[in-house]
Amino acid sequence: MEFITGLKQQEEAELEDLLKAEEGTTIILEGAVHSIRDMGEIAFVILRKREGLIQTVWEEGKTDMELSEIREGDYIHVTGQIKDEERAPHGKEVRLSTIRHLSHVSCPLPLPIDKWKLNTSLEAKLDRRSLSLRNIRERARFRIQEGIVRGFRDFLYEQGFTEIHTPKIGAKSAEGGANMFRLSYFHRPAVLQQSPQLYKQMMVGVFDRVFETGPVFRAEKHNTRRHLNEYTSLDFEMGYIHSFLDICAMETGFLQYTMNLLEKEYSKELKLLNITLPDVEKIPYVRFDEAKRLVSEKYNRKIRNPFDLEPEEEELIGKYFKEEYNADFVFVTHYPSKKRPFYAMDDPEDTRYTLSFDLLYHGLEITTGGQRIHDLSMLEEKIQEKGMTEEGLEQYLDAFRFGMPPHGGLGIGLERLTMQLLGEDNVREACLFPRDMSRLEP
Amino acid sequence: MEFITGLKQQEEAELEDLLKAEEGTTIILEGAVHSIRDMGEIAFVILRKREGLIQTVWEEGKTDMELSEIREGDYIHVTGQIKDEERAPHGKEVRLSTIRHLSHVSCPLPLPIDKWKLNTSLEAKLDRRSLSLRNIRERARFRIQEGIVRGFRDFLYEQGFTEIHTPKIGAKSAEGGANMFRLSYFHRPAVLQQSPQLYKQMMVGVFDRVFETGPVFRAEKHNTRRHLNEYTSLDFEMGYIHSFLDICAMETGFLQYTMNLLEKEYSKELKLLNITLPDVEKIPYVRFDEAKRLVSEKYNRKIRNPFDLEPEEEELIGKYFKEEYNADFVFVTHYPSKKRPFYAMDDPEDTRYTLSFDLLYHGLEITTGGQRIHDLSMLEEKIQEKGMTEEGLEQYLDAFRFGMPPHGGLGIGLERLTMQLLGEDNVREACLFPRDMSRLEP
């Protein structure tokens, strides 16, 4: 009988092996032909690997394959000798002796992915997603995105949170309303979850602190630069809080942890994209009504509706706190009860407002969170007040019936946070395969 | 202006603080009243916290609240003095001086969650999910599940994989067929993804190695102990492989890494559940046809269909390899082409079979994987052979048009892997909120 015993050392070098190896060493590499610069008797054949680009040099009479046989987009296996060369990326190049094809491209590439900046419209990039992301700056964005999710999870593991996986198909969803995708589930009406809200609250009674990173679905008829109809939500919920400010503190801790992680582990990508990380040492917080007043005064803007925040007002709040406090983020607290779902805890000092908050990053909402109601009768009252029915909420209410600690939590839109960190102005730039009102493919 | 500066030291102790503190220290605790044992002048009030149970002692005349005011299920804030007591969990108890309520339970708990074994039917446990999981052995299962997902990600990060997030709503899905949930997406027909297969392959051309952990949806009309209609899939896909055995090696590496992680970080839960981790040092592999022959001979079972594997045959293969090699896992390789999707690479030596595999764990399939076709014309041919159309696959095929390395990957059913590790006989025991043909709630 034969056995698999785990990973074995591979013959082919990765970028880090190349960097460690000495001049003169023979090396085996595999990669995609990212670009070819033909100089006559020699040619630079740039290989693309997951960790970056490697300069290899084809030499007439020394390399065993004709240059004309290689095309941009081919995948090849090569051997060659390492030579120090300060003009090459990483200061090293590989003089090729042999080339063998792993696969052949079928046609010339329709996008210039080897350019530093892929000057292509967003639409064209999204239509050719499997090609446009081969540009090393385009793909670097999603490495940064990985770092954000990783930071979220690792920080919360450290803080005693348990990761959960909750169903996306359900009989009922957290927010209700018209913004739900509906489907038939074995002949029963079902919806896609707008948020794991009800599930994560139920799990606070079990694990005290929980988080989930997963897709959420919003059938919103908004076609803006800020909206996606399916996005990745970073959610947590925690028990035994004293105030909704404990949630803000946990989010600030996450941001601090994550910026550190990005700096340490994703510096290559930050450099490629020329990103300066935001300052998250301290984040100001301001009441909703106060924030409205501040920007209305400073920017001479009339308050049209005291209980609503328009996108332009959000932008101005961002501007205000950047100008006055050099702050990249600001917590806007005490949102009006009318604008918050039934599970939000009202401020006992003024029940027109809630103990909840949004986090704005450069004037864009990236998080909604707050303290939740943990008392059964208060919750039942609120459900009635909002004109809702308890139907379908029985098992959610059970959690409160059998005891719940004071708790709260939040949901962070991963693509929005990534977009703001990257300084992009369309959230689709921060999503591998965006879903919007007109885009269902690829 | 006020600022949030991150996490602050909390006043209330966690279990680890209690363990570190000396006898006589005054401590503040918050927790759920898990059980009350009234002994007359004293009573044991067991608090449930995320890290375990803590024994506190109510004493007549010394504790500032009447015992009758506390009920199982209440959440309380207490202060007390630590006393060494070898009969208490962790060898310490807390003699209570003050008790204050954080919240009140509304009724007696309908399930005896403080029992060591919750002797309740699976149906009842699922119907009362937010309560049944408060049993510490019930919840421990999902801590183990967390460890598995964490091991998967951490191992793959180390191996140079990039984490991706792909859409769950699409125009087309990987496997096609009747097993798709259908919905209307802004008046266009759409489906829920059965697997991230097509997306992760597209991303191999970008990142070389990718993984995703997320929900997948299968509208299969199976109501068995092994099937869920929504489950969490651990998927990876990697380029530059030499053989499908490289995928098996990567999976073995993941299992080795994860068993180590569980042993180190989840030992408390393993002990609670009395789990012995499986041996994953080496995993045998055997051809599909050979495996069928072996069990047919040993267990005197006629081979009815040489191109299909029945669930009982899978169980017997598990039994065979346990008996003959003391193996908990076995890779069954070279599945018939008819049984594999269009993207599977046929074995060039016998195209009736593919370069693919399933991993069985104690006789249950927990993984399907293999080498994929990376050549455009071979893929187009296969699509035709299978009687499919290229419609909706244009952007998937683009990835191959513009060059792809030899590659392969796999998908692991998280709940099935958890179920086998726990030694459970129903996959619903390993899912927080299972979705099956009859269950859409909670």
Side-chain angles (χ1 to χ4, degrees), chain A residues 278-295:
Chain A
D279 181 9
V280 288
E281 216 187 305
K282 55 180 189 147
I283 299 180
Y285 63 100
V286 60
R287 284 183 62 100
F288 178 90
D289 45 13
E290 173 72 2
K292 281 183 80 86
R293 193 183 60 75
L294 289 172
V295 301

Side-chain angles (χ1 to χ4, degrees), chain A residues 1-7 12 30-32 48-50 73 75 102-103 105-107 109-110 127-128 130-131 133-134 139 142-143 146 149-150 153 155 157 159-165 167-169 171 181-183 185-186 188-189 192 199 203 205-209 215 217 219-220 229-230 232 240 242 248-249 252 256 281-285 321 325 374 376 392 395 398-399 401-405 432-433 435-438 440-442, chain B residues 1-7 12 30-32 48-50 73 75 102-103 105-107 109-110 127-128 130-131 133-134 139 142-143 146 149-150 153 155 157 159-165 167-169 171 181-183 185-186 188-189 199 203 205-209 215 217 219-220 229-230 232 240 242 248-249 252 256 281-285 321 325 331 374 376 392 395 398-399 401-405 432-433 435-438 440-442:
Chain A
M1 186 53 51
E2 291 186 283
F3 295 86
I4 307 275
T5 55
L7 290 179
E12 300 81 25
E30 292 186 339
R48 186 182 67 246
K49 293 181 71 65
R50 62 178 185 262
Y75 278 77
L102 295 172
S103 73
V105 72
S106 303
C107 59
L109 304 183
D127 285 341
R128 292 223 186 270
S130 53
L131 183 61
L133 291 170
R134 297 184 190 191
R139 78 176 180 185
F142 296 94
R143 298 277 311 153
E146 168 184 284
V149 183
R150 196 172 170 178
R153 295 196 195 107
F155 174 70
Y157 286 138
Q159 297 300 321
F161 284 72
T162 294
E163 179 172 12
I164 57 174
H165 305 273
K168 304 310 159 201
I169 303 180
F181 289 109
R182 290 166 196 286
L183 72 155
Y185 187 83
F186 300 113
R188 292 167 64 185
L192 295 181
Y199 294 105
M203 290 304 100
V206 173
F207 300 106
D208 295 355
R209 297 180 159 192
F217 307 90
E220 290 175 336
N229 295 102
E230 176 180 349
T232 299
Y240 304 104
H242 301 99
C248 300
T252 305
Q256 292 166 343
E281 216 187 305
K282 55 180 189 147
I283 299 180
Y285 63 100
F321 280 85
Y325 301 95
H374 61 275
L376 179 65
Q395 288 161 331
D398 259 5
R401 191 163 287 122
F402 306 136
M404 278 286 269
L432 285 177
F433 299 99
R435 290 291 174 262
D436 61 29
M437 285 183 67
S438 52
L440 188 53
E441 291 173 297
Chain B
M1 187 51 51
E2 289 187 283
F3 295 87
I4 307 275
T5 55
L7 291 180
E12 300 81 24
E30 292 185 340
R48 186 183 66 245
K49 294 182 69 66
R50 61 177 185 265
Y75 279 77
L102 296 173
S103 73
V105 74
S106 304
C107 61
L109 304 183
D127 285 342
R128 293 227 187 265
S130 53
L131 183 61
L133 290 170
R134 296 183 191 193
R139 78 176 181 185
F142 297 95
R143 298 277 310 153
E146 168 184 285
V149 183
R150 195 173 172 177
R153 295 196 195 107
F155 174 70
Y157 287 139
Q159 297 300 320
F161 284 72
T162 294
E163 179 173 11
I164 57 174
H165 305 275
K168 304 310 161 202
I169 303 180
F181 289 109
R182 292 166 194 285
L183 72 155
Y185 187 85
F186 300 113
R188 292 166 65 186
Y199 294 105
M203 289 305 101
V206 173
F207 300 106
D208 296 355
R209 296 179 161 193
F217 308 90
E220 289 174 339
N229 294 103
E230 175 179 350
T232 299
Y240 303 106
H242 302 99
C248 300
T252 305
Q256 292 166 344
E281 215 188 305
K282 55 181 189 149
I283 299 180
Y285 62 100
F321 280 86
Y325 301 96
F331 286 108
H374 62 276
L376 179 65
Q395 288 161 331
D398 259 7
R401 191 164 287 121
F402 306 136
M404 277 287 268
L432 285 176
F433 299 98
R435 290 291 174 260
D436 60 28
M437 283 183 68
S438 52
L440 188 54
E441 292 172 295

Side-chain angles (χ1 to χ4, degrees), chain B residues 377-395:
Chain B
S377 51
M378 198 185 284
L379 198 54
E380 289 176 325
E381 225 167 87
K382 200 59 177 284
I383 288 172
Q384 232 173 9
E385 252 178 62
K386 291 262 181 192
M388 296 165 57
T389 140
E390 290 185 18
E391 202 195 313
L393 291 177
E394 296 85 356
Q395 288 161 331

Side-chain angles (χ1 to χ4, degrees), chain B residues 113 115-116 118 131-139:
Chain B
I113 55 163
K115 290 276 176 300
W116 177 247
L118 195 58
L131 183 61
S132 61
L133 290 170
R134 296 183 191 193
N135 173 276
I136 58 164
R137 294 178 79 245
E138 293 286 324
R139 78 176 181 185

Side-chain angles (χ1 to χ4, degrees), chain B residues 71-84:
Chain B
R71 284 189 297 174
E72 291 176 355
D74 285 352
Y75 279 77
I76 57 178
H77 172 106
V78 304
T79 58
Q81 262 200 343
I82 299 176
K83 182 128 195 345
D84 291 343

Side-chain angles (χ1 to χ4, degrees), chain A residues 90-363:
Chain A
H90 326 292
K92 299 196 182 202
E93 63 182 21
V94 177
R95 304 283 176 95
L96 298 174
S97 43
T98 72
I99 302 179
R100 182 167 67 70
H101 272 93
L102 295 172
S103 73
H104 289 89
V105 72
S106 303
C107 59
L109 304 183
L111 294 177
I113 55 164
D114 61 324
K115 291 274 178 300
W116 177 247
K117 248 192 131 161
L118 194 58
N119 277 325
T120 309
S121 73
L122 174 60
E123 284 303 299
K125 286 197 295 187
L126 296 179
D127 285 341
R128 292 223 186 270
R129 212 55 175 147
S130 53
L131 183 61
S132 62
L133 291 170
R134 297 184 190 191
N135 173 277
I136 59 164
R137 295 178 79 245
E138 292 287 324
R139 78 176 180 185
R141 296 173 183 176
F142 296 94
R143 298 277 311 153
I144 301 283
Q145 186 163 75
E146 168 184 284
I148 294 172
V149 183
R150 196 172 170 178
F152 184 77
R153 295 196 195 107
D154 286 353
F155 174 70
L156 294 179
Y157 286 138
E158 267 185 17
Q159 297 300 321
F161 284 72
T162 294
E163 179 172 12
I164 57 174
H165 305 273
T166 69
K168 304 310 159 201
I169 303 180
K172 190 143 183 166
S173 187
E175 321 279 326
N179 294 334
M180 291 186 290
F181 289 109
R182 290 166 196 286
L183 72 155
S184 163
Y185 187 83
F186 300 113
H187 308 296
R188 292 167 64 185
V191 297
L192 295 181
Q193 294 295 339
Q194 299 158 310
S195 136
Q197 183 62 34
L198 307 185
Y199 294 105
K200 61 180 182 159
Q201 281 189 268
M202 285 193 259
M203 290 304 100
V204 163
V206 173
F207 300 106
D208 295 355
R209 297 180 159 192
V210 295
F211 76 87
E212 179 163 16
T213 58
V216 297
F217 307 90
R218 307 264 169 118
E220 290 175 336
K221 288 181 183 157
H222 290 313
N223 233 340
T224 77
R225 62 175 197 87
R226 300 172 290 123
H227 284 91
L228 290 171
N229 295 102
E230 176 180 349
Y231 67 89
T232 299
S233 185
L234 309 182
D235 274 276
F236 75 66
E237 200 76 16
M238 60 191 275
Y240 304 104
I241 62 171
H242 301 99
S243 149
F244 75 89
L245 292 176
D246 291 352
I247 312 294
C248 300
M250 192 60 75
E251 179 162 28
T252 305
F254 146 65
L255 288 170
Q256 292 166 343
Y257 182 97
T258 299
M259 297 311 148
N260 268 327
L261 180 72
L262 289 175
E263 210 166 334
K264 269 195 300 194
E265 307 256 340
Y266 297 83
S267 58
K268 197 164 54 185
E269 287 82 4
L270 292 174
K271 216 177 135 194
L272 263 179
L273 295 167
N274 199 22
I275 292 173
T276 311
L277 292 174
D279 181 9
V280 288
E281 216 187 305
K282 55 180 189 147
I283 299 180
Y285 63 100
V286 60
R287 284 183 62 100
F288 178 90
D289 45 13
E290 173 72 2
K292 281 183 80 86
R293 193 183 60 75
L294 289 172
V295 301
S296 133
E297 283 176 14
K298 177 159 184 181
Y299 304 108
N300 241 322
R301 197 176 183 285
K302 218 181 146 224
I303 294 178
R304 281 191 285 196
N305 182 345
F307 293 105
D308 202 8
L309 205 57
E310 295 164 45
E312 310 87 76
E313 259 175 315
E314 281 188 359
E315 278 173 40
L316 288 177
I317 295 173
K319 191 170 140 111
Y320 180 94
F321 280 85
K322 188 71 193 171
E323 289 173 358
E324 300 289 324
Y325 301 95
N326 196 28
D328 296 306
F329 292 87
V330 52
F331 287 107
V332 178
T333 69
H334 297 87
Y335 272 68
S337 304
K338 277 185 194 167
K339 292 279 161 186
R340 291 302 210 208
F342 72 96
Y343 50 78
M345 175 84 95
D346 286 341
D347 184 357
E349 295 183 11
D350 182 349
T351 58
R352 291 174 306 164
Y353 297 94
T354 55
L355 299 175
S356 76
F357 65 90
D358 274 11
L359 179 62
L360 309 187
Y361 180 7
H362 292 161

Side-chain angles (χ1 to χ4, degrees), chain A residues 36 38 43 58 65-72 74 101:
Chain A
I36 300 174
D38 186 357
W58 173 92
M65 186 183 277
E66 292 298 313
L67 186 63
S68 59
E69 289 179 53
I70 319 166
R71 285 189 296 173
E72 290 177 357
D74 286 351
H101 272 93

